[in-house]
Amino acid sequence: MGEQQIFNALVEFFEEDEWDFQWMEGMSVLTMSFSGKNGKWQCFAQAREQQQQFVFYSVLSVNVPKEKRGRVAEFITRVNYGMVIGNFEMDFDDGEVRYKTSIDVEGVELLPPMIRQVVYANLIITDRYLNSLMRVIYSDVEPEQAIAEGDAEAMASLEEELAEYLESDDDDYDIDDGEDDFLDDDEDDDEDYPYMNGSSPYSLN
C-alpha cells in the first residue's frame, strides 16, 4: 500500500461514519471519545503504514490501583480466553487497561467494511465487559464471579431486547419472504447492521 494510504482510509471512514475525531499531530493516529451503554472512554485509531496494519484501541478512563492489578490480570486472562477478535491488556506499571483489535492488510486495500469490523467489534466488547471490570476494581468481588454476573446481565438484556423486537411492528427484517434481507449484497451496508447506523444505542461523541 502507498504512503499514508491506511491513514487516509481511516480518515475517510470516520468522516463518513460521522465521528467527532482529532488527529494527533505528527502521528498517524486519530483520537475520539465513545459513549456506550455502560460508560464512556477514549479511542485511538492507529495506522501502521510500514507494517501495513490498522490498530484500534479502547482505553478505559480509570487506571487500576496497584493493589488491584493482580485481580484485574486474572479477570483479563479469563475474559481473553476464547476471545476471537481482539483482547484486553493491562500495563502493570501504571494500571492502564485497554481493548485492542487490529487487522493486517499487507497486499490488499483497507476497505470500509474491514475498518467497521475492527472498530465496532472493539466497542461492543469493551462495553460488554466494562461493568464487570469496574466491579473487580472497586469491590471485593472475585473476577470469576464478576464475569458470571456480567454474563447473566448481558443475557437478560439480550432477551429483553429480543422480546421488545418481537413485540414491535417493525417489518424491516422480514424473514418470511424467503429472501436474505438482513445481509444482502447491495451497497447499503449500514442498513444491514442495526448497530452501525443512526439507530445505534451508542453515542459517538
Side-chain angles (χ1 to χ4, degrees):
M1 301 184 70
E3 185 178 358
Q4 295 296 308
Q5 191 168 347
I6 296 176
F7 183 74
N8 292 338
L10 296 181
V11 171
E12 182 177 354
F13 171 82
F14 286 109
E15 285 180 343
E16 292 184 356
D17 213 38
E18 298 183 351
W19 285 71
D20 182 12
F21 64 89
Q22 294 79 41
W23 169 50
M24 295 184 66
E25 189 173 354
M27 304 176 64
S28 297
V29 178
L30 303 177
T31 67
M32 60 214 75
S33 61
F34 182 83
S35 295
K37 294 180 180 179
N38 297 312
K40 185 175 182 178
W41 60 88
Q42 195 72 12
C43 300
F44 298 85
Q46 180 184 18
R48 292 164 52 90
E49 302 288 351
Q50 185 174 356
Q51 295 84 0
Q52 298 185 41
Q53 297 168 345
F54 161 47
V55 188
F56 190 81
Y57 296 98
S58 283
V59 181
L60 303 194
S61 59
V62 298
N63 286 39
V64 181
K66 190 172 184 179
E67 65 274 12
K68 290 291 186 128
R69 291 173 195 171
R71 283 178 173 267
V72 170
E74 179 187 341
F75 175 90
I76 288 174
T77 300
R78 289 182 178 277
V79 169
N80 281 344
Y81 183 78
M83 193 76 74
V84 176
I85 300 178
N87 62 277
F88 281 100
E89 51 193 24
M90 179 178 65
D91 186 334
F92 254 99
D93 291 331
D94 63 11
E96 179 184 270
V97 176
R98 61 191 186 184
Y99 193 78
K100 175 183 67 182
T101 47
S102 60
I103 186 171
D104 188 289
V105 291
E106 182 177 2
V108 299
E109 181 182 358
L110 181 61
L111 300 174
M114 300 160 66
I115 300 174
R116 182 179 294 111
Q117 175 69 14
V118 171
V119 171
Y120 283 97
N122 185 305
L123 299 174
I124 291 170
I125 294 297
T126 300
D127 197 53
R128 161 69 180 79
Y129 287 101
L130 184 58
N131 279 347
S132 298
L133 178 57
M134 292 300 105
R135 289 175 186 150
V136 174
I137 295 175
Y138 292 110
S139 74
D140 294 327
V141 65
E142 294 293 330
E144 186 175 11
Q145 179 184 350
I147 294 171
E149 292 175 351
D151 287 342
E153 292 174 1
M155 182 59 67
S157 177
L158 179 61
E159 291 175 350
E160 181 179 345
E161 291 180 6
L162 179 59
E164 291 177 358
Y165 170 75
L166 292 176
E167 292 173 0
S168 72
D169 295 326
D170 191 349
D171 295 326
D172 288 346
Y173 304 113
D174 185 358
I175 62 175
D176 295 325
D177 59 6
E179 297 182 3
D180 258 340
D181 291 334
F182 187 68
L183 291 178
D184 54 31
D185 293 324
D186 61 28
E187 296 180 358
D188 296 324
D189 292 330
D190 285 347
E191 295 179 3
D192 295 334
Y193 297 88
Y195 288 167
M196 312 260 176
N197 55 27
S199 65
S200 171
Y202 302 112
S203 175
L204 306 180
N205 53 49

